[in-house]
């Protein structure tokens, strides 16, 4: 199946990312100011992640942790490393907004498996073996809605396969709507 799972995926990604970047740019600007005023360091955090077909890319997020925090999955990082502004950004999902640029560039999709760190070799291998790496990683996905984080690579890859089998425009729209309404797409939180 891969990227051709349904024909409207890429046009939807482009349309929503362009609109999102235009409409939400004042929100991103305000968040950047809040980050810079409350903790030293850049407002945007960029980190290498594993993308479609195992190709690495730089994933962008609003910085929610203190500069100097070790690069590792969030479930392995002390919560004390999250800034006060960062807690708010994570709770409201605003930290994910810069990833709309990754979507526009074609490195990510709105919906798909969350991009992992290259060091998360068990997850990278499981996704490769199961064919999930044929998809662009997403800002949100089925696993995040179910609260499955990257601490359980086999289970996460299994849910990613379930998404791959069911991928369609209605599925993606449903996941996007549930993400906005439920606030549950927080499961993976690879370090930022």
């Amino acid at each position: 199946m891969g990227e051709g799972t349904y024909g409207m995926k890429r046009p939807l990604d482009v349309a929503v990312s362009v609109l999102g970047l235009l409409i939400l740019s004042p929100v991103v600007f305000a968040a950047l100011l809040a980050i810079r005023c409350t903790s030293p360091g850049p407002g945007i955090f960029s980190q290498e992640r594993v993308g479609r077909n195992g190709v690495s890319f730089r994933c962008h997020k609003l910085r929610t942790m203190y500069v100097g925090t070790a690069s590792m999955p969030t479930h392995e990082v002390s919560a004390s490393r999250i800034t006060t502004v960062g807690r708010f950004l994570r709770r409201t999902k605003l930290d994910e907004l810069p990833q709309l640029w990754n979507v526009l560039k074609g490195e990510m999709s709105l919906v798909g498996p969350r991009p992992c760190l290259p060091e998360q070799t068990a997850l990278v291998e499981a996704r490769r073996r199961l064919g999930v790496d044929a998809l662009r990683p997403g800002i949100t996905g089925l696993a995040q809605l179910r609260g499955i984080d990257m601490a359980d690579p086999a289970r996460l890859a299994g849910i990613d396969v379930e998404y791959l089998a069911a991928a369609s425009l209605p599925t993606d729209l449903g996941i996007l709507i549930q993400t906005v309404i439920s606030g549950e797409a927080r499961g993976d939180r690879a370090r930022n």
Side-chain angles (χ1 to χ4, degrees):
M1 278 193 246
E3 219 33 42
T5 305
Y6 66 92
M8 292 302 298
K9 188 170 185 72
R10 185 68 187 139
L12 176 69
D13 284 346
V14 171
V16 171
S17 61
V18 167
L19 283 173
L21 287 166
L22 290 173
I23 294 169
L24 298 170
S25 59
V27 175
V28 173
F29 182 71
L32 287 170
L33 282 177
I35 293 165
R36 294 298 307 271
C37 289
T38 57
S39 68
I44 297 286
F45 173 80
S46 297
Q47 184 181 51
E48 183 181 358
R49 300 287 179 96
V50 178
R52 184 178 180 203
N53 297 320
V55 176
S56 295
F57 71 100
R58 299 295 295 177
C59 184
H60 309 296
K61 302 177 86 172
L62 291 171
R63 182 174 56 83
T64 62
M65 292 191 181
Y66 292 103
V67 171
T69 301
S71 182
M72 61 180 63
T74 296
H75 64 274
E76 297 177 10
V77 177
S78 169
S80 67
R81 298 302 300 163
I82 302 172
T83 65
T84 303
V85 171
R87 284 184 186 84
F88 172 78
L89 294 174
R90 285 170 173 241
R91 187 171 53 251
T92 59
K93 298 185 212 56
L94 294 175
D95 63 318
E96 308 284 356
L97 290 179
Q99 290 176 31
L100 290 171
W101 180 247
N102 291 113
V103 173
L104 184 60
K105 288 172 59 181
E107 297 165 332
M108 291 180 68
S109 181
L110 296 171
V111 179
R114 285 295 291 150
C116 63
L117 299 170
E119 298 82 29
Q120 293 175 289
T121 54
L123 181 55
V124 171
E125 176 54 29
R127 284 177 167 172
R128 186 201 58 74
R129 187 174 22 82
L130 296 169
V132 174
D133 67 341
L135 293 172
R136 286 184 177 94
I139 294 176
T140 188
L142 186 59
Q144 287 69 44
L145 286 178
R146 293 187 182 171
I148 300 164
D149 68 18
M150 292 188 172
D152 189 348
R155 186 169 179 222
L156 180 57
I159 296 299
D160 292 339
V161 168
E162 187 179 328
Y163 167 73
L164 176 61
S168 66
L169 183 59
T171 298
D172 280 10
L173 290 175
I175 290 172
L176 287 170
I177 290 167
Q178 288 178 58
T179 296
V180 171
I181 292 172
S182 72
E184 292 300 318
R186 311 306 290 166
D188 70 305
R189 307 312 311 177
R191 184 248 178 222
N192 143 315

